[in-house]
Structures are given as structure tokens and as C-alpha cells.
Amino acid sequence: MPDFEPVLLARVNKPDSTSLESYRADGGYAALKKALGMAPADVVAAVKDSVLRGRGGAGFPAGLKWTFLPKDHSGPIYLCVNADESEPGTFNNRILMEEDPHQLIEGIAIACHAIRSNTAYIYLRYEYGRSYRVLEAAIKECYAAGLLGKNILGAGFNLDVYLHRGAAAYICGEETGLIESLEGKRAWPRIKPPFPAIEGLFRKPTIVNNVETLCCVTHIINRGAAWFKSIGVPPDPANPRDLGSFGPKLYCISGHVNKPGCVELPLGVTARQLIEEHGGGVWKGRRAKAVVPGGISMGFLTADELDTPLDFNGPLKAGCLGLGTAAVVVVDDQTSMVDVLYNCCRFMSHESCGQCTPCREGTKWMTRILERIRAGHGKLEDLDTLLEVAGSMGIIPGTTICGLSDGAAWPVKNAINKFRAEFEDYITTGRRAVTPAQELMAAAH
Amino acid sequence: MPTAFVNNQEIELKEGERLNCIQAAQRIGFEIPHYCWHPALSVVASCRMCLVEVGERKPDGTVVMQPKLVPGCQTPVKEGTVVVADSPKVKAAQQATLEYLLLNHPLDCPTCDQAGECGLQDYSYKYGRGYSRLQEPKNIKPDKDHIGDQITLFTDRCIMCTRCVRFTREYSGTSELQVVARGSDEEIDVFPGRPCNNLLAGNVVDLCPVGALCSKDFLYKQRVWWLKEARSVCPNCSTGCSIQVEQNDDRVYRLKPRTNPMSQGHFMCDEGRFGWKYIHVENRLTFPVRRKNGQIRTRDWDDVIPSLQKALAKAAARAPEKCAAIFSPWMTCEEAYMLASFLRSLSPKFRLALGPVRVTGQDDTYPKDFYGRPLEPVRFTIHAEKCPNHRGVSMVLEHFGAAATMGDVLAQAEAGLEAVYAVGGDPQGWLDEAQAAALAKAQLTVVQDILPSPLSEQADYVLTGGSFAERDGTFVNYKGLAQEIHRAIRSPDGARPDGRILWELSGRRGLYSVAAIRKEMAEKVPAFSALAQGVLGEFGVLLNEHGAPEPSVVAAAK
Ligand SMILES: Cc1cc2nc3c(=O)[nH]c(=O)nc-3n(C[C@H](O)[C@H](O)[C@H](O)COP(=O)(O)O)c2cc1C
Ligand code: SF4
Ligand code: SF4
Ligand code: SF4
Ligand code: FES
């Protein structure tokens, strides 16, 4: 795809990319103007036609979600912009907010018009200080220019946007945890139903969308659903549930690569292409042992699975939980999977909100087993215990209140199933594996 | 009628009935294990103990099951719902959840107050795997004695069901209990300087399914399997909470609320919960007394009863309009009825009056907000009227056409009374020195009570009665609900249940039978006609103004 031209990141390296003036000079807020000239239902239809799938991790079609709002609702409807971006390896929202805040605000305004909301909350990860300052300035500019507030662009549409900083917890990114947190409570995800579209923030109908999802909306209005669907991958006929993976996507590349960063590509690029063509290859001349396809909660691809296309369907076929946030983390062949997995488990047990028994206890238990293995006291049965715990924590579809539990179970399932020989070797010899797992596997056969 | 299925058994649902899977299974006597769910609290579906398989039976008879396990507490049962709660998949999930809950549990059952009535013990026994695969040391959390004046927390036993937290948010409204920290480091705690001392606080101990929240009053006093229970009614205010009195060897150890949809619901207040200690005080009145010229002549029932019978009959014959009795709102209906009919049999002119009805402050309603201001809708009321049977005793007195008050009797006492028969029973005292002196001027002074009073020091006859835990009978609460109290313990030494005293005094033959009196009373007193069956059942019988049961409420409670 050499001729793909970035859309979402198009303005990123321009000088003064964050100012309203430069955004307008590049044609900014034309989409809003166009949308305000359309009936809200037509905006929803356009987004629905584009099959824009949520970029926050679950891949739920945005337009479809918007249609779940009650019809003829007379009270307030809210939009919550999920900018809590905390999935390890993920930093694309940050770039969008720091470099091109007006693209997001325009998307927010269009979405609010579509869902008939007059209030949007941006729930921002606390650590994103620069995003906070940039967004704050951009929102101010918008109010001054009549792009937010009352009677926007003279079209009779009112919208207030509030920027809210979270207090730094992964669980605040789960949409109902986010809503609870916004309401000033502990971010304990809610049981569903009711889903937020029926009863969300302050018990009113609410749509939660990711930053990148909303940025895409701007371009869909500008260029049309057909344009959006001309990018990416059509539905896999072998998977009747696959809706296709259309549009551009921001991929994050980090870990053991020469050139970590964030690139915009059509959905469907393979992990290998990302590493080789965009990440500058694995560092220090080493090889990749494992690759996280979309944030650690999605699990691992092995070196043999690097040609997996990173669209909404590809990682599933390789036994991963999904595309997640499309944040690729590369693990080189000198790194122990035991250490990698320990790190994943430690994170999840630290971030579990603690409501559900399996997640609260299971994440901690797995962490402690791995701690013991790393301390040289592992037993081979531990691997079965880990798999069993992961199995009861993460049965898809999940048996816990939110998806964190599944996301905590998946790296364990993948790591032990795909790298079992390395774990066994570690336990029996006490050696930190510095040999590529593939060779160990071959030796075991 | 809508039909649903639990473990292949059909259950009928009433129109508009909203049941979850746990409640639907209860219909066929099947228990779906659960911790966080409680019928009086909001649903959080977090413990994941109640996972079941759920599906739908289509009109054509085919059944489509959902692929995943769902929490039974959160899943409504409707027409055609199919619940499977005993499949291998469900059992595996139950085992897994229990193993998680027990991972860091100290298993200190031998020293734990909850042992014997513990949700963790019971479910582990029924659904658990029997051993733990945890090889790491357990996560020990510090005990918290500061939770409340009456409550202590054994933090490491807590399973984080949050019932206690929800109770203080939703029921008392006072929100003292909180979850602090996150994930497996979570603990229950209070804010510094804001202990959980609201008047409903004791309920969190009952709500706690394990031995985490314990009652300081009960702690280490008894193993629960030694306790025997008697159904009763709290006598401390006119709410009339349904309770059970738990005793061993004639000692009461605790009161617990008994769920009664027609009465207070699921809970009770701490005034009532801890308000029974007077039962076992040192100075309880024990043996009866007959005095002559201020000197104790006998302390023997076999002498006291016949001699009092004679003395009362004599007084009533001599000057019936100068004979008066003071009834106590602590009496049961049967006691009041027996005394009233006995005295009126001596003379229809015998004056019957209602004694003092203690009222303290205002009705105290819950929930309250953080600052103690009452909120609507009210979910619990502690009534200002601090006695159990004002309404029932008044109904008896009304039947006998008695409208006098204690003030009337006192006024008459100044003018000189032939005989006065005063019943006490309020453990906080019910008359002062001056009133006692006035009553004692009567030619014949009789007092029936459980604790010493200025009157018991000088009365000619002191009849030593029983506390509520020692008696059988009926209390009628503020809204007309008639409930039975049952004897839990024997009275100390020579004290006797008041019903038995009155049975013998009124010359009835054979052994005192509360059911016989209740039937007689229902026959003679129209206001009590609804009690004609003699037994009032677990929830009691609601009497309307005419004494008939209120059918709508009875049906709703079923
Ligand atoms: C544990 C957990 C953490 C999550 N964190 C985020 C997050 O940081 N940002 C985000 O956009 N979505 C996050 N999600 C997904 C959200 O719940 C939700 O699906 C998403 O915000 C919806 O927006 P979208 O449809 O535009 O993707 C998280 C989900 C889970 C279960
Ligand atoms: S799955 Fe984990 S993070 Fe999600 S609600 Fe349950 S305990 Fe909290
Ligand atoms: S203290 Fe008891 S009631 Fe409260 S959360 Fe723990 S186990 Fe549940
Ligand atoms: S509310 Fe009244 S009846 Fe109920 S427990 Fe308290 S004192 Fe007893
Ligand atoms: S009782 Fe259903 S999840 Fe706790």
C-alpha cells in the first residue's frame, strides 16, 4: 500500500497543527458545517453505512450503537469521549489529541448533532498533561469562534464540551467504569443491561466513543461512506459475524523495534509489515519471538503468526482475543516469556477493579504463581493451574462484569499454549530462556 | 399464567411478577448459591457465585440456550425462560468461584463466630472442591476494631460481596462503610472519625455472609449451633419487628430480625437488637410477695394467689367503684384480656385504665442522608412509641368499655381507693416515687412487674412476671399487625410468665394455654375475631378497624 495517504494523521507534522487557524486553513470544520445541514438521522445513516467500527478495543460499529438510543427521548443525551487510553502499548489517541485537537472536536460536534446531544464530556487519562493543555486551549478557541456553545455556525445547534481528567486507573477506560467515574464514584463497571445507550451517565442515554472513532467521523462526513469503505478489508466470508474492517487505522509499534511509533495505515496490514516496513525491524539484529497484536489484553502472536493481518478478524483466527487497540508490542528472542507474562499479569492484577470474584482473585493468583516461578520455585503443575484459572476467568463471552477479566486471561492462555516448552524449560532448569522459543519447541519434538 | 422452567421443572409465575433466577429456583426448593444478592438490596452481580445457564423455550417447544453462564441474580425469569442450575458447567463455575474466595481466606473457623451459619462453610461443603491449590502464603489484612461501637471487622475473612456497603448506602443511607483500595487489595473500612454507629448498623453483621463483620456484643459468647431459637416480636417500640430470640440454657445471647414482609421487612434496629439486657439483670423480681403492715409474710405462689383472690373479691364487694386497675402496653393481648375479664367478673364497676405509654422524641425514619436528614421513600421506621402493644391492650380495654387513664386513677387514689392492681413491665420504669406513694395509699395494692419499682417496695402483693422472652401471647403493632411472641427461656427463680399468673388468679383450670385464651378472646372480643384460629403463623395477621384481617396485605405477603 505505498500510495496510501494518511487522513487522521495528515496534519500531524505541520507547524502550528493545533491551532484553529491552521485547522481551518486545511478545510477544518467544513464537515461540521455540512453535517449541521443534514438531519441527524442522515448523519447516523452515513456513519452506519461506512461500517466504522469502534477504535477503543471492542470494534463495535459506531453507527449501529448510535441507533440504540431511545427514539423521541426528550431529556438530555450525553456523549462521553473515551480518552482514557491506558491499554499498555497504546498511544494513538494521545497523538491525535496533542497534534490535532480540532479534528477531534469537530468529530465530537458532528457526533453530538447526530445523536441529538448538547453535552459532551471528554474523559482524559490523567497522565496526558499535554493533551489536557492542548485540548483546553482548543476548546476555548472553539467557544470564542462560535464552534461550541450556543447556536453553532448559526445552525441553531448548541453544544458544551467539558474536559475531565481522570485519576489514573485503567478501569476508567471501560465505558461504564468511565461513566461511574464521571459521576464522581469509584470506577466500578456497571452490570449490563441496561447499556449506556439506554441508561448511562446520570442515568440518561449516553454514547461512549473512542477518540479515534470520533476523528474518523469527521472524514466520513467529508468524503462519504463509500470512500471509507474503499479502504481496508471486506468481511471474511468464512466468518459470518465479521462485518469487515474498513477505513484507516492508527497502529502503535513499540517494544523491541528500531523505530517505535504510530503509523496510519489501511486496516489489514500484517504484523510483519508493521515491524519490517514501519518499525524499522527488530532491534539489535534479533528476531521477534512474540508480538502483541493490539494491547496486552489481546494475547500474543508467535513468530510463525506474523503474517496475520491486523484487522478485526485476523487476530481472532490466530487465537488472540481480537484487534484491541491495534497496539503492536514486539518481544525479541532474548526475552523470557515468563517475564513478559509476569508483567502482563502484574498489570492486570493491579488494575482489576475488584468487584468480580474471578477477576479480583484470579489476576492476583496468576501473578503470584508467576512470581514464584520466577523465583525458581515453579512446578510443572503450575502451568495447568494457570491455564485453568485463565479459563475460568476468561470464558468468551465473558462471565464477569467487564472485559478486563478476559483481557487478563488471554495473555496467559496464549503464552502458555503457544510457548509452553519455554515455560517448562524455565521451571525445570531454572534458566531464563534466551533462546528463541521456536527452537526450544523444535527440540522438544 | 406465564410458565418458566428451572432444572426441567415447571414453575408458574403470577402476572407481572418479577423474579430473578435465584427466586424462581426457590419456588421449587432449589438453592442457587449466592453471596452478593440480597432481596432488600440493589443487584451488583459481582460475587459470581450464582452463575447459571439460561435459555428460552420457544412457543414451538424448542429450547435455545445462551452460550454463556449468566448471574442468576441479575437475570429475570419470564414466560418461557429456561434456567439450568445443576449442570456440570454450572458446578464447575461454582467450584471455581469458591476456590477464588477461599484463596486468601484464613479458614480460622474454629475461632470464628460465624462458624455454623457461614455462607462460605456451607457452600464449600456443598459446592466446593475440598482443597486449595494456592501455594503462596495467604494475603493477611489487618483486623479493624474501629468499624463501629457494636461492630468489628475481621478483614481477612471478607469476601467483598459489598452487602454491608450497600446497606449503609441504600437502607440506613448514612454511607459509613466503604470499599478502600483496589483489586485484591480492597478492604472494607470507614472514613476516619466516622464509625458505623447508625441505629440500623447491627444489620450489617447479619447481612455479612461470612465471619467478617461481627457483633462485639455477641463475639466469642457462644457457638451458634448451641443456640435455640424462638419466634418473637421486638418489644422496644411499636414497629413490632419480627425477630427470633436465640438462647442457650435459659440465657438469651442475641436477637435477630426475622424477615416479615407484613411487618418491618428484613431488618431491625439496634435499640431493639441490644435492648434486651434487662432480662438478665441481678435485681429482677423473682419470688412473689405478700406483705402485711409492711412486713413480708410469704414468698410462695401457693399462698399468694388464693389470698389475693380473696382480697380482691372482698374489695370489689365492699366498694367496687373504688377499685381500679392499671394496664400496661407491655402486656400481651391475652394477658390484658384475662385480667380485664377477671376483674370485671368480680364487679362490672371495676375501673380499668391504660398505664403510661412511653414516647421518646419523634419517629426515626431511614434512609437518612450523610448529614442525618431523613430521605424519602422511607424504608424503615423506629417508632417514638417505646412499647410493643399499646394498640392491642387498647383494643381489649375498649371492648370492656374502659376509657380511664393512669391520671384518673392517681386522682382517685388521692381521694382514697379500696384496691389498685397495677401492671408494669416497662424496663425503663413507669412510675415515680410520688405516684407510687399515691397508689400505695389504697387499702389493697397489687403490682405485677419484672423489675423493682417504688411501688414494688411497698405493695401488699408483688406478682413477679416474665420478660417478653419468657412469655407467650400476641402483640399488635402500630398498624394493627397481630403477631405471636413465644417463650424462649424460663423465668428466673420464682418469677412466672404473666399469662400463667393471670390464668391461676382468674381460677382457670388446668395448665395455662395461650391458644385457648386467644380463641376465647377472638370469640368474645369482635376486634380480635380474626385470631379465631388460635395460631397467627409466621407473619402474623393484620387486623383492620373491625378486627377482620386485611385480605390484600395477607395475599401480598404470600
Ligand atoms: C478494561 C477495559 C479498559 C478499556 N479502556 C479503554 C480505553 O482506555 N479507551 C477506549 O477508548 N476504550 C476502552 N475500553 C473499551 C470501552 O469499554 C468501549 O468499548 C469504548 O470506549 C467504546 O468506544 P468505541 O466504540 O468508539 O471504540 C476499555 C474496555 C475495557 C474492558
Ligand atoms: S471484570 Fe474485573 S475489572 Fe471488570 S468489573 Fe469485574 S473485577 Fe472489575
Ligand atoms: S464485610 Fe461481610 S458484608 Fe461486607 S463486603 Fe465483606 S463479606 Fe460482604
Ligand atoms: S424498630 Fe422498634 S420494634 Fe423494630 S427492632 Fe427497633 S425497637 Fe424493636
Ligand atoms: S449473587 Fe449473583 S453474582 Fe453474587
Side-chain angles (χ1 to χ4, degrees):
Chain A
M1 289 147 276
D3 51 348
F4 177 76
E5 213 178 293
V7 184
L8 298 166
L9 296 185
R11 304 187 59 258
V12 158
N13 285 323
K14 298 202 167 179
D16 196 27
S17 67
T18 63
S19 78
L20 179 57
E21 199 189 335
S22 94
Y23 186 66
R24 281 199 137 153
D26 288 336
Y29 291 104
L32 176 60
K33 187 152 194 200
K34 184 170 167 192
L36 290 179
M38 295 161 70
D42 294 338
V43 182
V44 175
V47 174
K48 212 173 155 190
D49 288 346
S50 74
V51 200
L52 164 63
R53 294 178 65 174
R55 301 323 199 207
F60 196 84
L64 183 62
K65 193 193 285 188
W66 296 358
T67 64
F68 294 162
L69 288 167
K71 312 277 169 282
D72 314 319
H73 178 76
S74 57
I77 292 173
Y78 296 113
L79 176 73
C80 292
V81 184
N82 195 337
D84 191 55
E85 190 166 67
S86 315
E87 178 71 32
T90 315
F91 42 86
N92 52 7
N93 287 181
R94 173 179 173 186
I95 291 171
L96 290 170
M97 292 184 288
E98 289 186 2
E99 301 294 329
D100 200 358
H102 286 287
Q103 176 178 233
L104 172 61
I105 296 171
E106 186 172 9
I108 292 172
I110 295 169
C112 284
H113 170 61
I115 64 172
R116 302 168 186 277
S117 164
N118 303 111
T119 314
Y121 293 90
I122 304 176
Y123 190 100
L124 182 66
R125 175 182 176 160
Y126 178 79
E127 291 89 336
Y128 282 3
R130 176 140 188 260
S131 300
Y132 179 72
R133 291 186 293 275
V134 170
L135 276 172
E136 207 181 28
I139 291 170
K140 222 183 210 164
E141 278 180 304
C142 286
Y143 272 103
L147 291 162
L148 286 178
K150 298 262 179 283
N151 193 16
I152 292 167
L153 293 174
F157 171 61
N158 304 331
L159 175 63
D160 286 313
V161 174
Y162 298 95
L163 184 56
H164 179 91
R165 283 177 102 171
Y170 177 55
I171 199 60
C172 294
E174 197 280 342
E175 55 184 3
T176 55
L178 181 152
I179 287 172
E180 287 280 302
S181 174
L182 255 185
E183 288 182 1
K185 305 184 202 138
R186 249 178 118 77
W188 273 12
R190 292 180 184 171
I191 49 176
K192 298 131 211 154
F195 287 91
I198 305 298
E199 197 180 299
L201 184 62
F202 307 123
R203 307 244 159 249
K204 298 287 182 278
T206 301
I207 292 294
V208 184
N209 272 133
N210 174 261
V211 167
E212 187 183 339
T213 312
L214 291 165
C215 289
C216 288
V217 168
T218 307
H219 301 285
I220 290 169
I221 296 304
N222 256 337
R223 308 184 188 206
W227 160 80
F228 195 76
K229 286 184 79 173
S230 71
I231 304 166
V233 185
D236 177 0
N239 179 358
R241 292 172 154 208
D242 185 21
L243 304 164
S245 308
F246 298 112
K249 177 80 194 84
L250 302 193
Y251 289 92
C252 302
I253 313 166
S254 63
H256 301 154
V257 288
N258 285 314
K259 215 175 89 195
C262 177
V263 283
E264 181 181 351
L265 293 167
L267 272 163
V269 62
T270 66
R272 191 183 306 283
Q273 283 171 316
L274 272 175
I275 299 169
E276 300 304 332
E277 293 168 22
H278 304 279
V282 181
W283 73 355
K284 300 182 187 173
R286 295 177 189 167
R287 285 187 292 159
K289 183 200 273 185
V291 169
V292 168
I296 58 167
S297 47
M298 296 300 119
F300 300 100
L301 297 169
T302 65
D304 289 345
E305 295 166 337
L306 293 185
D307 293 316
T308 302
L310 299 183
D311 55 29
F312 287 106
N313 199 37
L316 289 175
K317 288 205 271 188
C320 295
L321 189 51
L323 176 64
T325 58
V328 169
V329 183
V330 178
V331 178
D332 75 13
D333 58 7
Q334 303 291 301
T335 304
S336 162
M337 283 309 285
V338 179
D339 293 349
V340 172
L341 186 60
Y342 167 69
N343 234 334
C344 297
C345 287
R346 194 182 53 167
F347 174 81
M348 291 297 178
S349 105
H350 186 254
E351 298 299 335
S352 163
C353 87
Q355 273 188 101
C356 315
T357 306
C359 176
R360 176 184 69 239
E361 303 295 336
T363 51
K364 183 73 178 188
W365 190 12
M366 296 193 304
T367 310
R368 294 181 74 188
I369 293 176
L370 285 159
E371 237 163 38
R372 183 161 48 75
I373 293 175
R374 292 179 82 226
H377 305 298
K379 301 186 180 127
L380 288 175
E381 318 72 284
D382 289 337
L383 300 179
D384 295 324
T385 307
L386 281 170
L387 279 180
E388 207 187 298
V389 173
S392 78
M393 284 173 58
I395 316 169
I396 290 291
T399 51
T400 46
I401 292 175
C402 87
L404 188 142
S405 190
D406 308 308
W410 234 260
V412 177
K413 288 186 187 185
N414 278 179
I416 297 182
N417 284 329
K418 295 185 180 183
F419 300 92
R420 187 162 187 129
E422 184 183 334
F423 279 83
E424 289 176 351
D425 183 62
Y426 193 114
I427 289 171
T428 47
T429 66
R431 244 180 329 145
R432 246 190 185 64
V434 286
T435 20
Q438 301 309 310
E439 287 164 26
L440 272 173
M441 295 243 219
H445 289 142
Chain B
M1 212 178 259
T3 312
F5 304 85
V6 179
N7 296 347
N8 279 327
Q9 284 193 48
E10 252 183 64
I11 62 161
E12 304 257 293
L13 305 170
K14 288 179 209 135
E15 277 318 323
E17 194 173 36
R18 292 172 60 113
L19 296 184
N20 64 21
C21 299
I22 297 175
Q23 292 165 313
Q26 280 166 353
R27 284 279 167 87
I28 60 159
F30 186 86
E31 182 187 41
I32 296 177
H34 57 274
Y35 288 121
C36 64
W37 182 75
H38 186 280
L41 302 175
S42 61
V43 176
V44 289
S46 64
C47 74
R48 301 281 139 173
M49 191 64 225
C50 67
L51 294 176
V52 288
E53 292 186 72
V54 165
E56 197 191 338
R57 190 186 170 111
K58 306 274 183 215
D60 66 4
T62 53
V63 173
V64 184
M65 297 301 286
Q66 287 183 30
K68 65 172 182 174
L69 294 166
V70 297
C73 61
Q74 185 203 340
T75 308
V77 173
K78 299 185 290 246
E79 164 76 40
T81 302
V82 174
V83 182
V84 179
D86 57 358
S87 65
K89 205 167 146 189
V90 169
K91 287 183 179 154
Q94 289 168 344
Q95 258 196 12
T97 303
L98 274 171
E99 183 175 29
Y100 288 134
L101 288 174
L102 286 172
L103 280 180
N104 288 299
H105 192 83
L107 290 175
D108 53 351
C109 310
T111 60
C112 174
D113 249 31
Q114 192 86 358
E117 54 181 10
C118 171
L120 211 44
Q121 276 187 333
D122 295 352
Y123 287 168
S124 297
Y125 205 74
K126 274 194 234 162
Y127 313 104
R129 64 156 60 225
Y131 64 95
S132 168
R133 290 176 294 175
L134 180 83
Q135 311 204 2
E136 289 67 37
K138 291 191 187 248
N139 194 5
I140 308 287
K141 296 173 179 175
D143 291 345
K144 294 176 186 169
D145 201 41
H146 61 261
I147 293 291
D149 290 350
Q150 296 288 359
I151 307 164
T152 185
L153 174 66
F154 292 89
T155 317
D156 49 3
R157 293 181 190 150
C158 170
I159 58 167
M160 291 312 303
C161 69
T162 70
R163 278 183 179 198
C164 55
V165 175
R166 279 175 284 146
F167 179 83
T168 62
R169 295 218 176 130
E170 297 163 15
Y171 230 93
S172 68
T174 43
S175 303
E176 295 96 344
L177 294 176
Q178 309 291 336
V179 176
V180 300
R182 190 171 66 202
S184 60
D185 296 325
E186 251 166 24
E187 292 173 17
I188 299 295
D189 211 333
V190 291
F191 287 123
R194 264 192 74 90
C196 187
N197 287 340
N198 69 72
L199 276 179
L200 299 183
N203 292 299
V204 300
V205 174
D206 297 336
L207 279 169
C208 182
V210 297
L213 288 168
C214 287
S215 153
K216 287 181 183 168
D217 185 59
F218 181 69
L219 195 62
Y220 304 140
K221 297 262 168 65
Q222 279 285 291
R223 305 288 7 196
V224 298
W225 50 86
W226 290 336
L227 294 175
K228 288 164 281 296
E229 296 133 23
R231 268 201 284 135
S232 192
V233 177
C234 173
N236 273 21
C237 87
S238 62
T239 301
C241 292
S242 301
I243 59 165
Q244 59 192 33
V245 178
E246 302 195 1
Q247 62 89 19
N248 178 22
D249 210 6
D250 289 331
R251 280 224 141 233
V252 173
Y253 285 94
R254 65 178 179 188
L255 306 187
K256 273 191 155 195
R258 194 158 49 81
T259 299
N260 185 348
M262 288 172 64
S263 177
Q264 87 287 8
H266 298 270
F267 304 113
M268 74 185 294
C269 84
D270 283 6
E271 280 178 7
R273 186 185 292 270
F274 303 115
W276 51 272
K277 299 299 170 68
Y278 64 88
I279 295 178
H280 295 303
V281 292
E282 282 289 310
N283 61 345
R284 266 288 294 270
L285 295 176
T286 52
F287 291 98
V289 170
R290 173 163 73 87
R291 288 195 180 88
K292 187 136 196 207
N293 304 326
Q295 297 297 306
I296 295 182
R297 279 306 164 89
T298 174
R299 305 200 63 157
D300 181 355
W301 286 108
D302 289 343
D303 174 81
V304 166
I305 294 283
S307 113
L308 176 58
Q309 277 170 333
K310 273 186 225 134
L312 281 170
K314 223 196 258 170
R318 201 180 304 144
E321 65 293 338
K322 287 191 176 176
C323 292
I326 297 168
F327 284 64
S328 158
W330 287 73
M331 297 170 90
T332 64
C333 298
E334 292 81 0
E335 290 156 6
Y337 169 76
M338 272 195 285
L339 181 59
S341 38
F342 168 61
L343 297 177
R344 281 289 166 85
S345 75
L346 299 178
S347 163
K349 291 194 186 144
F350 216 109
R351 197 159 192 207
L352 311 180
L354 180 67
V357 174
R358 183 157 48 90
V359 173
T360 311
Q362 310 261 305
D363 288 355
D364 188 18
T365 66
Y366 293 85
K368 296 193 187 309
D369 68 9
F370 191 79
Y371 304 99
R373 292 175 300 220
L375 295 174
E376 295 285 339
V378 170
R379 303 190 74 179
F380 195 93
T381 306
I382 306 172
H383 279 85
E385 190 175 285
K386 300 297 177 195
C387 55
N389 200 24
H390 179 192
R391 184 146 174 179
V393 171
S394 301
M395 283 158 70
V396 172
L397 292 177
E398 224 165 89
H399 171 74
F400 286 94
T405 63
M406 174 144 149
D408 300 335
V409 177
L410 284 169
Q412 208 185 352
E414 294 298 335
L417 272 173
E418 187 65 33
V420 66
Y421 189 123
V423 184
D426 186 339
Q428 304 227 343
W430 54 281
L431 85 178
D432 58 28
E433 297 276 353
Q435 293 169 326
L439 293 180
K441 280 193 215 146
Q443 293 299 314
L444 171 64
T445 316
V446 185
V447 64
Q448 180 178 323
D449 208 343
I450 54 172
L451 292 170
S453 71
L455 193 57
S456 70
E457 305 293 312
Q458 41 189 324
D460 300 310
Y461 287 86
V462 181
L463 305 177
T464 50
S467 72
F468 75 100
E470 297 149 31
R471 283 145 62 204
D472 293 290
T474 304
F475 283 159
V476 182
N477 78 353
Y478 74 101
K479 65 173 169 192
L481 180 70
Q483 297 185 82
E484 290 172 37
I485 63 167
H486 289 274
R487 186 160 86 135
I489 55 172
R490 284 174 297 190
S491 300
D493 296 332
R496 279 184 180 181
D498 302 54
R500 186 174 157 202
I501 299 173
L502 292 165
W503 176 277
E504 289 178 11
L505 189 63
S506 48
R508 293 170 189 265
R509 279 164 209 280
L511 284 175
Y512 165 55
S513 153
V514 73
I517 295 291
R518 193 177 289 137
K519 278 187 193 155
E520 180 184 320
M521 177 174 77
E523 229 168 76
K524 298 267 168 65
V525 186
F528 288 112
S529 57
L531 312 187
Q533 296 232 299
V535 284
L536 312 184
E538 202 182 327
F539 297 151
V541 176
L542 191 72
L543 309 173
N544 66 12
E545 289 148 58
H546 315 293
E550 202 80 74
S552 59
V553 184
V554 178
K558 290 266 159 67

